[in-house]
Amino acid sequence: MIVDAGVVGLWAAPDPPDRILPHLEGGMGGTPLLGSDPDLHAALRRYWGYDAFRPMQERIVRSILAGCDVAVIMPTGGGKSLCYQLPALLSGRTAVVVSPLIALMQDQAARLRAIGVPAAVLNSTLAPSEEVRVLREAGAGAF
């Protein structure tokens, strides 16, 4: 599970944040999410329109794709979302994002859908029928 709690993005890391950076070099991971080395810059340009990553983003994305557990602490607006969205997109897997900010959830899902990435939100503002639809589609692998 990938968590975005506004200021802190967490990926089930076994160590406290001051011991995380060595893990970004690899070697502490599980099963890689991809069998080959993807062109991250091509995906960054294609889906987000950026020519370069922000500081630490590429290392974080590569570590996640290598199967490493990574804990990331970034300020609001620092680029956490891309750090979990890009690996999910490239691996074809579903990322579950937990956020206390409903507006942020809605905005991010809308942005992903705008670039052709299936996305949905599940929160307390949805009607019961909409919750059922989202859960049914998620269970069917739609996201």
Side-chain angles (χ1 to χ4, degrees):
M1 177 180 289
I2 300 172
V3 179
D4 180 355
V7 175
V8 181
L10 299 172
W11 287 267
D15 297 320
D18 63 327
R19 296 182 51 199
I20 296 304
L21 288 179
H23 300 262
L24 292 177
E25 298 302 325
M28 288 293 296
T31 304
L33 299 180
L34 297 174
S36 62
D37 188 24
D39 184 349
L40 298 182
H41 291 278
L44 185 68
R45 278 188 296 279
R46 178 179 176 195
Y47 293 104
W48 282 270
Y50 301 141
D51 290 322
F53 286 96
R54 289 183 180 175
M56 300 298 292
Q57 282 181 321
E58 183 173 2
R59 289 176 65 191
I60 293 163
V61 169
R62 287 194 184 282
S63 293
I64 293 168
L65 289 172
C68 295
D69 291 332
V70 179
V72 178
I73 300 172
M74 298 173 116
T76 299
K80 292 179 302 296
S81 298
L82 186 137
C83 292
Y84 55 76
Q85 292 170 353
L86 185 55
L89 182 62
L90 292 175
S91 68
R93 294 184 174 195
T94 298
V96 175
V97 181
V98 179
S99 174
L101 305 171
I102 291 174
L104 178 63
M105 283 188 245
Q106 293 167 333
D107 181 58
Q108 289 187 352
R111 285 183 184 181
L112 288 169
R113 287 191 298 267
I115 62 172
V117 177
V121 298
L122 187 61
N123 61 51
S124 61
T125 68
L126 298 180
S129 61
E130 187 69 4
E131 285 182 26
V132 169
R133 182 193 64 77
V134 169
L135 290 170
R136 186 177 297 125
E137 289 179 9
F143 306 113

